[in-house]
Amino acid sequence: MFNFDYFTPTKVAFGKDTVNRVGDLVKEFGGKKVLIHYGGGSVIRSGLMDRVKANLEKADISYVMLGGAVPNPRLSLVYEGIELCKKEDIDFILAVGGGSAIDSAKAIGYGVANEGDVWDFYDYKRKAEGCLPIGVVLTLSATGSEMSDSSVITKEEGLVKRGYSSDFGRPKFAVMDPEYTKTLPEYQTASGCTDIMMHTMERYFTNGGNMELTDQIAEGLLRTVMMNAKILIAEPDNYEARAEVMWAGSLAHNGLTGCGSSGGDWMSHKLEHELGGLYDVTHGAGLAAIWGSWARYVYKNCLSRFKRFAIRVMDVEPAGTDEEIAIKGIEAMEAFYREIHMPTNLSELGVEPTEEELKQMAHKCAVGVGGQFGSAKVLKEEDMLAIFEMANKQEEKINESGRYSDI
Amino acid sequence: MFNFDYFTPTKVAFGKDTVNRVGDLVKEFGGKKVLIHYGGGSVIRSGLMDRVKANLEKADISYVMLGGAVPNPRLSLVYEGIELCKKEDIDFILAVGGGSAIDSAKAIGYGVANEGDVWDFYDYKRKAEGCLPIGVVLTLSATGSEMSDSSVITKEEGLVKRGYSSDFGRPKFAVMDPEYTKTLPEYQTASGCTDIMMHTMERYFTNGGNMELTDQIAEGLLRTVMMNAKILIAEPDNYEARAEVMWAGSLAHNGLTGCGSSGGDWMSHKLEHELGGLYDVTHGAGLAAIWGSWARYVYKNCLSRFKRFAIRVMDVEPAGTDEEIAIKGIEAMEAFYREIHMPTNLSELGVEPTEEELKQMAHKCAVGVGGQFGSAKVLKEEDMLAIFEMANKQEEKINESGRYSDI
């Protein structure tokens, strides 16, 4: 077991009508003039934005609006937000939406609180020494950004997608009402569930430094999300299932499911970041499309963890060799992805990279991680390319065995 | 599922040699002159206190010492600490020890930051509006006070034991090195494990408002503590097992295992508080001595939860009626308590109250909770008395069946 730090200061207000507390919460954390940052029109159409505004007004808090955050949020909008905050003397940023709005809000917060180019942080050149306080009204269960220290931004020039983590960026509060996730399209819901699970699975598949309590929590979280993701395919407006997934999204990425481990693997995320940067795919779906190939490539180097995962999470019978059990676990996870209509290869994800593009992505990924990365198995550029190639060819293999006939 | 708030701002530094960070942590949270509050000589004999002092000195932080915190910490020492803090212009309290030192430190913190008698808060007369910042160097895994909002103080006059909860009292940081728990006597270790489990079980046995994710986390935590409590009976210096129990102690009581529930039952704690106030027994052992009688008295009113507990935590075969399964779960928990040499009745706890004393405790308990309390089953004074009487007679019943021969 490794030493660890655990720091989750975000005050969570969870449940129905908690949006009515947003004004008091902004005030509690010292906000007087707020930038409301959001994405598209859904938060306006749902009536949520009107409730947020009314509640801020009731608490005598003034605000300025900045919409336009998109999935794989863009650096240009971050720059725009920084200028707006400086011009308007903003002292608090309220993100209303999902991971895109929150990540973008964090980047704006770093940009306002630190001199120089905010991209430096995402480019691993220097560390932030502060951040404007951030609050969140969450409308999408996925990235866990509402409690996490991380944000991911895409620089348009060269389509470079990079993450930056700092405790300064952890939101001061998160208002989480599952009601507002009920109208999400099935694809977004399933992508969110995949992202949530992957945040825990990235931490779970490590070599060294495991903790039984952390494992038990991680396994319980994965079982819970799988159970409720399936419910939501049939009943998208099931409040209890929406609530389970929403809370799991926060716990999956606030650090809890990695305590005592070596820090996790994270290569599936790194590989997906290249896909997301190049093709603008939905993050969770991109992860589902990559994970099976990654798992098959690395599992022999992390066999005891894959075996435990198969038995305790995927309910595989503990019979046969460890390798057989591990493979059954991977197959069961891919079957689950299919059940919630997630892709398990690049073709199903809707992208068809050429061999040259696969090589480009592998190269960018290797450069981005500093040459090599991973814990389940340390991967170099040639390994990354091999996994991209597997994910690109996976469909043929699966079609041959006929397992795909119902998709 | 009920709405909930979740707020755990405590920065945790977990693992070997983390005590070397205490000076920096005090500084990070603005401390310049510290009251070091501790209990007996064990933290001095172990060399821990010298390391704490050296580290504070290295960070140019001055300090004043106040020892003497005892299990079921006393109000008189709290008053003494408040006076000392005011006289010495203390701006930060560092508790070095277990729940006694931490709870006492919180009470001192309330007393310094608020006008009037600090007992008012514990007597439910008014609410604190602040608290001196608290830091913790933890040496005993049990109360979870290192991350919790609660503290329990005993007023000598009338031996009244009362708890007070406020987010203001949550420690700013907790330094947790499992090494320093290795030398704990077996009885203290097992009592700590019992207390940890009870913090989660109190939240688990409710009527209404449950959450699957919370249940899965609670069940995983209980299984982990049981597994490692048994290891520690055989190998008290097993670092990994000490670490599992230590981290479980924090998570069991920081709110995580109650998210979405009705708030929990808590009657076992309320009943034990009367025992602790009157007889000064070890809190965890007192809980073990009460729980089985409480469970047998209430389980029919909370049958689905007791059934789930039996199957998922105590590994009872799901065969027979729900009542049979529930009783097997209760028996299995009592068997576990015996395995780690905890009492399951008052006689084994080492107290022999008269009928009059049982009545006094039931009456004080009922008054303390405002007449009636509980969620698994709402208990009135006569129910409390009945449970005390069951716990007082339990030994005879168990002796008859011969199950106790090895104790």
Side-chain angles (χ1 to χ4, degrees):
Chain A
M1 186 186 305
F2 288 103
N3 284 9
F4 65 86
D5 280 15
Y6 182 72
F7 183 51
T8 57
T10 308
K11 182 173 271 195
V12 172
F14 192 101
K16 292 177 185 175
D17 296 323
T18 44
V19 65
N20 295 337
R21 293 167 58 186
V22 73
D24 287 343
L25 284 164
V26 169
K27 211 180 251 180
E28 184 180 333
F29 290 100
K32 291 189 183 68
K33 187 160 184 191
V34 171
L35 177 75
I36 301 180
H37 188 43
Y38 63 104
S42 65
V43 293
I44 293 167
R45 286 191 300 277
S46 70
L48 175 61
M49 193 59 87
D50 282 340
R51 292 182 74 183
V52 169
K53 286 181 186 175
N55 202 263
L56 290 177
E57 285 161 15
K58 199 174 152 195
D60 282 328
I61 293 163
S62 61
Y63 55 83
V64 173
M65 313 282 292
L66 178 65
V70 292
N72 303 311
R74 300 300 159 126
L75 183 60
S76 57
L77 187 68
V78 171
Y79 288 143
E80 194 184 325
I82 294 167
E83 289 313 306
L84 184 60
C85 284
K86 288 180 176 171
K87 187 179 137 214
E88 298 280 349
D89 278 331
I90 296 296
D91 59 13
F92 196 100
I93 306 176
L94 182 66
V96 180
S100 308
I102 306 168
D103 282 14
S104 191
K106 288 177 180 175
I108 294 169
Y110 292 130
V112 176
N114 297 273
E115 296 294 315
D117 186 355
V118 71
W119 184 251
D120 288 354
F121 307 129
Y122 295 83
D123 212 17
Y124 317 124
K125 284 188 182 148
R126 58 194 179 103
K127 288 184 177 180
E129 288 168 11
C131 185
L132 270 198
I134 313 278
V136 174
V137 178
L138 189 67
T139 62
L140 197 154
S141 312
T143 69
S145 193
E146 65 277 7
M147 284 187 90
S148 84
D149 63 350
S150 70
S151 66
V152 182
I153 298 293
T154 297
K155 185 180 191 172
E156 290 90 334
E157 185 192 336
L159 288 175
V160 185
K161 186 174 175 178
R162 292 278 178 272
Y164 178 63
S165 297
S166 161
D167 279 338
F168 290 120
R170 288 191 190 266
K172 299 297 179 191
F173 69 80
V175 166
M176 297 166 63
D177 182 347
E179 287 285 350
Y180 284 104
T181 66
K182 280 185 177 178
T183 53
L184 274 177
E186 180 188 287
Y187 189 76
Q188 293 301 325
T189 300
S191 293
C193 290
T194 304
D195 193 17
I196 290 166
M197 292 173 65
M198 281 302 301
H199 286 148
T200 287
M201 287 157 69
E202 295 279 28
R203 291 174 166 93
Y204 189 88
F205 291 108
T206 61
N207 274 307
N210 307 301
M211 192 185 233
E212 181 64 27
L213 179 55
T214 297
D215 282 349
Q216 295 258 0
I217 291 171
E219 289 154 0
L221 187 145
L222 291 170
R223 290 190 298 262
T224 303
V225 176
M226 288 172 68
M227 180 192 309
N228 287 286
K230 288 189 259 188
I231 291 172
L232 289 175
I233 293 293
E235 307 167 42
D237 61 351
N238 183 313
Y239 178 85
E240 299 286 317
R242 289 285 179 188
E244 297 286 356
V245 168
M246 193 172 222
W247 187 222
S250 298
L251 296 186
H253 202 33
N254 75 358
L256 181 69
T257 61
C259 292
S261 94
S262 68
D265 184 85
W266 296 103
M267 266 313 303
S268 300
H269 263 77
K270 299 291 182 190
L271 294 167
E272 194 287 327
H273 280 188
E274 299 308 324
L275 281 173
L278 202 58
Y279 297 103
D280 220 10
V281 296
T282 301
H283 177 53
L287 289 168
I290 282 288
W291 184 80
S293 298
W294 168 84
R296 288 168 198 276
Y297 193 84
V298 309
Y299 79 97
K300 289 184 187 171
N301 282 67
C302 191
L303 195 55
S304 66
R305 302 293 292 165
F306 274 90
K307 180 186 174 188
R308 178 175 170 139
F309 173 80
I311 294 167
R312 300 187 65 121
V313 179
M314 305 312 300
D315 219 11
V316 170
E317 279 293 314
T321 67
D322 288 358
E323 291 199 12
E324 284 165 354
I325 293 169
I327 282 288
K328 278 183 190 162
I330 295 168
E331 286 172 351
M333 179 53 74
E334 289 176 323
F336 163 74
Y337 284 147
R338 280 180 222 114
E339 197 173 340
I340 63 167
H341 308 155
M342 281 283 100
T344 57
N345 58 55
L346 298 190
S347 165
E348 286 174 12
L349 181 63
V351 303
E352 292 181 0
T354 62
E355 183 64 25
E356 191 49 42
E357 285 167 329
L358 293 178
K359 282 181 182 163
Q360 277 173 19
M361 287 196 294
H363 182 67
K364 275 169 71 181
C365 187
V367 170
V369 300
Q372 57 181 38
F373 204 78
S375 171
K377 179 178 167 74
V378 177
L379 303 183
K380 297 178 180 170
E381 186 172 329
E382 64 257 34
D383 303 306
M384 299 172 194
L385 177 59
I387 293 169
F388 276 133
E389 285 173 342
M390 278 172 77
N392 210 26
K393 287 179 188 153
Q394 192 83 334
E395 191 188 29
E396 297 161 29
K397 193 183 98 198
I398 292 171
N399 274 340
E400 280 164 24
S401 71
R403 283 191 294 149
Y404 252 167
S405 52
D406 59 336
I407 303 255
Chain B
M1 185 186 303
F2 288 102
N3 285 8
F4 64 86
D5 280 15
Y6 182 72
F7 183 52
T8 57
T10 308
K11 182 174 270 194
V12 172
F14 192 102
K16 292 177 184 175
D17 296 322
T18 44
V19 66
N20 294 338
R21 293 167 58 186
V22 75
D24 287 341
L25 284 164
V26 169
K27 211 180 253 181
E28 182 180 333
F29 290 99
K32 292 188 181 70
K33 187 159 185 191
V34 171
L35 177 75
I36 301 180
H37 187 45
Y38 64 104
S42 66
V43 294
I44 292 166
R45 285 191 301 277
S46 70
L48 174 61
M49 192 60 87
D50 282 342
R51 291 182 76 185
V52 169
K53 286 181 186 173
N55 202 263
L56 290 178
E57 285 160 16
K58 199 173 153 196
D60 282 327
I61 293 164
S62 62
Y63 55 83
V64 173
M65 313 283 290
L66 177 66
V70 291
N72 303 313
R74 300 300 160 127
L75 183 60
S76 57
L77 187 68
V78 171
Y79 287 143
E80 194 183 325
I82 295 168
E83 289 313 306
L84 185 59
C85 284
K86 287 179 177 173
K87 187 179 137 212
E88 298 279 351
D89 278 331
I90 297 294
D91 59 12
F92 197 98
I93 305 176
L94 182 66
V96 180
S100 309
I102 306 168
D103 282 13
S104 191
K106 288 177 180 177
I108 294 169
Y110 292 130
V112 176
N114 297 273
E115 295 294 316
D117 186 355
V118 71
W119 184 251
D120 288 352
F121 306 129
Y122 295 84
D123 214 16
Y124 318 125
K125 283 188 184 148
R126 57 192 178 105
K127 289 185 176 177
E129 288 169 9
C131 186
L132 270 197
I134 313 276
V136 174
V137 178
L138 189 67
T139 62
L140 196 154
S141 312
T143 69
S145 193
E146 66 276 8
M147 284 187 91
S148 84
D149 63 351
S150 69
S151 67
V152 181
I153 298 293
T154 297
K155 185 179 191 174
E156 289 90 334
E157 186 191 336
L159 287 175
V160 185
K161 185 174 175 178
R162 291 279 179 268
Y164 178 63
S165 296
S166 161
D167 279 338
F168 290 120
R170 289 192 190 265
K172 300 297 180 192
F173 69 80
V175 165
M176 297 166 63
D177 182 347
E179 288 286 350
Y180 284 102
T181 66
K182 281 185 176 177
T183 53
L184 274 178
E186 180 189 287
Y187 189 75
Q188 293 301 325
T189 300
S191 293
C193 290
T194 304
D195 193 17
I196 290 166
M197 292 173 66
M198 281 300 301
H199 286 148
T200 287
M201 286 156 69
E202 295 278 26
R203 290 173 167 93
Y204 189 87
F205 291 108
T206 61
N207 275 306
N210 306 300
M211 193 186 232
E212 181 64 28
L213 179 55
T214 296
D215 283 348
Q216 295 257 359
I217 291 171
E219 289 155 0
L221 187 146
L222 291 170
R223 290 190 299 261
T224 303
V225 176
M226 289 172 67
M227 179 192 310
N228 288 285
K230 288 188 261 188
I231 291 173
L232 289 175
I233 293 292
E235 307 167 43
D237 62 352
N238 183 313
Y239 178 84
E240 300 284 319
R242 290 284 179 189
E244 298 285 356
V245 169
M246 192 170 223
W247 186 222
S250 298
L251 296 187
H253 204 32
N254 74 0
L256 182 68
T257 61
C259 292
S261 93
S262 68
D265 185 84
W266 295 103
M267 267 313 303
S268 300
H269 263 78
K270 300 290 181 190
L271 294 166
E272 195 286 327
H273 280 187
E274 299 308 325
L275 281 172
L278 202 58
Y279 297 104
D280 220 9
V281 297
T282 301
H283 177 55
L287 288 169
I290 282 288
W291 184 80
S293 299
W294 168 84
R296 288 168 197 277
Y297 192 83
V298 308
Y299 79 97
K300 289 182 186 172
N301 283 65
C302 192
L303 195 54
S304 66
R305 302 294 292 166
F306 274 91
K307 181 186 174 187
R308 179 174 171 139
F309 174 80
I311 295 167
R312 298 187 65 120
V313 180
M314 304 314 298
D315 220 9
V316 170
E317 280 292 315
T321 68
D322 287 359
E323 291 199 11
E324 285 166 354
I325 294 169
I327 283 289
K328 280 183 189 162
I330 295 169
E331 286 173 350
M333 179 53 73
E334 289 176 323
F336 163 75
Y337 285 146
R338 281 181 220 114
E339 196 173 340
I340 62 167
H341 309 155
M342 281 285 100
T344 57
N345 57 55
L346 297 190
S347 166
E348 286 174 12
L349 180 64
V351 302
E352 292 181 359
T354 62
E355 183 63 24
E356 192 49 43
E357 285 168 328
L358 294 178
K359 282 181 184 166
Q360 277 173 19
M361 286 196 293
H363 181 67
K364 275 170 71 181
C365 188
V367 171
V369 299
Q372 58 182 38
F373 203 78
S375 171
K377 179 179 167 75
V378 178
L379 303 183
K380 297 178 180 171
E381 185 172 329
E382 64 257 34
D383 304 306
M384 299 172 193
L385 178 60
I387 292 169
F388 276 134
E389 285 173 343
M390 279 172 76
N392 211 25
K393 286 179 188 153
Q394 192 83 336
E395 191 188 30
E396 295 161 28
K397 194 184 97 199
I398 292 169
N399 274 338
E400 281 163 23
S401 70
R403 284 190 293 149
Y404 252 167
S405 52
D406 60 335
I407 302 257

